[in-house]
Amino acid sequence: MIQERPFDILSKSSGKQVLIRLKGGVYIRGTLTSFDAHMNVVVESAEELDDGELKAKLGTILLRGGNIIYVSPA
Amino acid sequence: MIQERPFDILSKSSGKQVLIRLKGGVYIRGTLTSFDAHMNVVVESAEELDDGELKAKLGTILLRGGNIIYVSPA
Amino acid sequence: MIQERPFDILSKSSGKQVLIRLKGGVYIRGTLTSFDAHMNVVVESAEELDDGELKAKLGTILLRGGNIIYVSPA
Amino acid sequence: MIQERPFDILSKSSGKQVLIRLKGGVYIRGTLTSFDAHMNVVVESAEELDDGELKAKLGTILLRGGNIIYVSPA
Amino acid sequence: MIQERPFDILSKSSGKQVLIRLKGGVYIRGTLTSFDAHMNVVVESAEELDDGELKAKLGTILLRGGNIIYVSPA
Amino acid sequence: MIQERPFDILSKSSGKQVLIRLKGGVYIRGTLTSFDAHMNVVVESAEELDDGELKAKLGTILLRGGNIIYVSPA
Amino acid sequence: MIQERPFDILSKSSGKQVLIRLKGGVYIRGTLTSFDAHMNVVVESAEELDDGELKAKLGTILLRGGNIIYVSPA
């Protein structure tokens, strides 16, 4: 088995739809376009979700990695 | 695809309107004029918003990066 | 006695089922596929549990190590 | 456009009135007299405000940067 | 008096029963089998306790040091 | 104007009465006798205050800098 | 005046009774036997107090420095 590194999943998800859960119960859904070693990410066509319902259309956002609980390729 | 870095969005937003969400439910809207590697930012003509409503006009503010959840070009 | 290091348990659990408890009462169950020195982990076939009940099927997720309370091989 | 750095606003505000918002809803108003790279600041003639009302006169205080949300020149 | 270092107590407790208090009122009891400089620990036959009562049998767990309040040899 | 550094106020307050506000609404009043670069401080004849009222006489205490909101020379 | 360093109080308190306040309102009383640069400490004959009342006898404990608010020689 070739061991991947966790951030490989961010490389593979670039340009694709992801769901991101933040601390405090906020979810962001959109297209991952860039990330860095601190897990700071840029998401385009970002939507903020509350219990699965659309709360706000945010366009492009820069999310600080420190508030991210998980990133999931959609 | 040329991979951008997340902070490129801050460079591109300099001198433009941004919406910033802070921890604790505070939103700041205004013109981004500078930032550093810790995501400390200066926002001019800054307004504090509470649930989309104007709460206070703050003028120029220096925001600590550590409290930022996201920055979104308006 | 040969002293192991704590992260050895992650190496041994790679490709296997784990239960992960996060801050804020969230549990994730799934297959551990990679990890790094910050305890960032990728879990495949991830399920989010609430009090032992399935809350959401998440597929593959990248979990930030900083929010993990414990990882337990199932 | 010459890009300033965020802390330039602290240099420019030295000796002047500032409003500082801290985590936990505390506001401090007074004269900024010094700061360092961690955003630790000294404020003279400092007043603690609660919802815009004067809560306490503190004289000179050393504020830890880590608790600061924003600094705003008055 | 020969001054010991705090982590010596972890070395001496390896292979023995410990009680660990985590942030958020969670207690873990079990056999300490490894630790590192961040106080990350592996506990075998781990049990989660709530107010002294057994809440869950966890088997082997890797606990992040950052959430530990104290470790006490039983 | 000669720019002082914030910690100069701690040097000048050594041996004098200070009021220290901690996270979580705790106030400590007493004589500052030492400090270091992390803002860890020793306070002698320390008293814990709650809403301005004496809650406990603590004698000498070592306070972790990380919990300090501000230090104010009395 | 010879300026002491804050941790000198830990050296002087080794082998003696201390009262330690932790985040979250937990108090520990016992004999300080070792400490390190992170303020991690070992306390023997440790007792957990709640509002001054004995809540639990803990024996020897290793306390993480990060949760300590203050250490006070008794």
Side-chain angles (χ1 to χ4, degrees):
Chain A
M1 189 180 83
I2 296 166
Q3 181 76 36
E4 295 196 351
R5 293 176 60 81
F7 278 49
D8 291 350
I9 202 175
L10 296 178
S11 306
K12 285 193 280 188
S13 299
S14 289
K16 295 186 183 152
Q17 181 92 345
V18 293
L19 177 70
I20 297 175
R21 181 173 181 164
L22 304 177
K23 290 180 192 173
V26 180
Y27 289 79
I28 301 290
R29 193 171 51 191
T31 305
L32 180 70
T33 58
S34 71
F35 65 91
D36 62 21
H38 302 287
M39 220 184 274
N40 296 318
V41 297
V42 172
V43 178
E44 291 185 0
S45 309
E47 296 174 332
E48 193 173 327
L49 306 176
D50 201 353
D51 279 315
E53 267 179 60
L54 181 62
K55 195 177 150 196
K57 298 203 173 206
L58 299 168
T60 300
I61 60 171
L62 166 59
L63 277 173
R64 267 184 79 86
N67 298 305
I68 292 176
I69 295 179
Y70 62 69
V71 179
S72 174
Chain B
M1 189 180 83
I2 296 166
Q3 181 75 38
E4 296 197 350
R5 295 175 59 81
F7 277 50
D8 291 350
I9 203 175
L10 296 179
S11 306
K12 284 193 280 188
S13 299
S14 290
K16 295 186 184 153
Q17 181 92 344
V18 293
L19 177 70
I20 298 175
R21 181 173 180 164
L22 304 177
K23 291 182 191 171
V26 180
Y27 289 79
I28 302 289
R29 191 170 53 190
T31 305
L32 180 70
T33 58
S34 73
F35 65 92
D36 63 21
H38 303 286
M39 220 184 274
N40 297 319
V41 297
V42 172
V43 178
E44 292 185 0
S45 308
E47 295 175 330
E48 193 173 326
L49 306 177
D50 201 353
D51 278 315
E53 268 179 60
L54 181 62
K55 195 177 152 197
K57 296 202 172 205
L58 298 168
T60 300
I61 60 171
L62 166 59
L63 277 173
R64 269 184 77 87
N67 298 305
I68 292 176
I69 294 179
Y70 62 69
V71 179
S72 175
Chain C
M1 188 180 86
I2 296 166
Q3 181 75 36
E4 294 195 351
R5 293 176 61 80
F7 277 50
D8 292 350
I9 203 174
L10 296 179
S11 306
K12 285 193 280 189
S13 299
S14 289
K16 295 186 184 154
Q17 182 90 346
V18 293
L19 177 71
I20 297 175
R21 180 172 181 165
L22 304 177
K23 290 180 193 173
V26 180
Y27 289 80
I28 302 290
R29 194 171 50 192
T31 305
L32 180 71
T33 58
S34 72
F35 65 92
D36 63 21
H38 302 287
M39 221 184 274
N40 296 318
V41 298
V42 173
V43 178
E44 292 185 0
S45 308
E47 295 175 331
E48 193 173 327
L49 306 177
D50 200 352
D51 279 315
E53 267 179 61
L54 181 62
K55 195 178 151 196
K57 297 203 174 204
L58 299 168
T60 300
I61 60 171
L62 166 59
L63 277 172
R64 268 184 78 88
N67 297 305
I68 292 176
I69 295 179
Y70 62 69
V71 180
S72 175
Chain D
M1 189 181 84
I2 296 166
Q3 181 75 38
E4 295 197 350
R5 295 176 58 80
F7 277 51
D8 291 350
I9 203 175
L10 296 179
S11 306
K12 285 193 279 188
S13 299
S14 289
K16 295 184 184 153
Q17 182 92 344
V18 293
L19 177 70
I20 298 175
R21 181 173 180 164
L22 304 177
K23 290 182 191 170
V26 180
Y27 289 80
I28 302 290
R29 191 170 52 192
T31 305
L32 180 70
T33 58
S34 73
F35 65 92
D36 63 22
H38 302 287
M39 221 184 276
N40 297 319
V41 297
V42 172
V43 179
E44 292 185 1
S45 308
E47 295 174 331
E48 193 173 326
L49 306 177
D50 200 353
D51 277 316
E53 269 179 59
L54 180 63
K55 196 177 151 198
K57 296 203 173 206
L58 298 168
T60 300
I61 60 171
L62 166 59
L63 277 173
R64 269 185 77 88
N67 297 305
I68 291 176
I69 294 179
Y70 61 69
V71 179
S72 176
Chain E
M1 188 180 86
I2 297 166
Q3 181 75 37
E4 294 195 351
R5 293 177 61 80
F7 277 51
D8 292 350
I9 203 174
L10 296 179
S11 305
K12 285 193 280 188
S13 298
S14 289
K16 295 184 184 155
Q17 182 90 345
V18 293
L19 177 70
I20 297 175
R21 181 171 180 165
L22 304 178
K23 289 180 193 173
V26 180
Y27 289 80
I28 301 290
R29 191 170 52 190
T31 304
L32 179 71
T33 58
S34 73
F35 65 92
D36 64 21
H38 302 287
M39 221 185 273
N40 297 318
V41 297
V42 173
V43 178
E44 292 186 0
S45 308
E47 295 175 331
E48 193 173 325
L49 305 178
D50 201 352
D51 279 315
E53 268 179 60
L54 180 62
K55 194 177 152 196
K57 297 204 173 204
L58 299 168
T60 299
I61 60 171
L62 166 58
L63 278 172
R64 268 184 78 87
N67 298 303
I68 291 176
I69 294 179
Y70 62 70
V71 179
S72 175
Chain F
M1 189 181 86
I2 296 166
Q3 181 75 37
E4 295 196 349
R5 294 177 60 80
F7 277 51
D8 292 350
I9 203 176
L10 296 179
S11 307
K12 285 193 279 188
S13 299
S14 289
K16 295 185 185 153
Q17 183 91 345
V18 293
L19 177 70
I20 297 175
R21 181 172 180 165
L22 304 177
K23 290 181 190 170
V26 180
Y27 289 80
I28 302 290
R29 192 170 52 191
T31 305
L32 180 70
T33 58
S34 73
F35 65 92
D36 64 20
H38 302 287
M39 221 185 275
N40 297 318
V41 297
V42 172
V43 178
E44 292 185 0
S45 308
E47 295 175 330
E48 192 173 327
L49 306 177
D50 201 354
D51 278 315
E53 269 179 59
L54 181 63
K55 195 176 152 199
K57 297 203 173 205
L58 298 168
T60 300
I61 60 171
L62 166 59
L63 277 173
R64 269 184 78 87
N67 297 304
I68 292 176
I69 294 179
Y70 62 69
V71 179
S72 176
Chain G
M1 189 181 86
I2 297 166
Q3 181 74 37
E4 295 196 349
R5 293 176 60 80
F7 277 51
D8 292 350
I9 203 175
L10 296 178
S11 305
K12 285 193 279 188
S13 299
S14 289
K16 295 184 185 154
Q17 182 89 345
V18 293
L19 177 70
I20 297 174
R21 181 172 180 165
L22 305 177
K23 289 181 192 171
V26 179
Y27 290 80
I28 302 290
R29 191 170 53 191
T31 304
L32 179 71
T33 58
S34 72
F35 65 92
D36 64 21
H38 302 287
M39 221 185 274
N40 297 318
V41 297
V42 173
V43 178
E44 292 186 359
S45 308
E47 295 174 330
E48 193 173 327
L49 305 177
D50 201 352
D51 278 315
E53 268 179 59
L54 181 63
K55 194 176 152 197
K57 297 203 173 204
L58 299 168
T60 300
I61 60 172
L62 167 58
L63 278 173
R64 269 184 77 87
N67 298 304
I68 291 176
I69 294 179
Y70 61 70
V71 179
S72 176

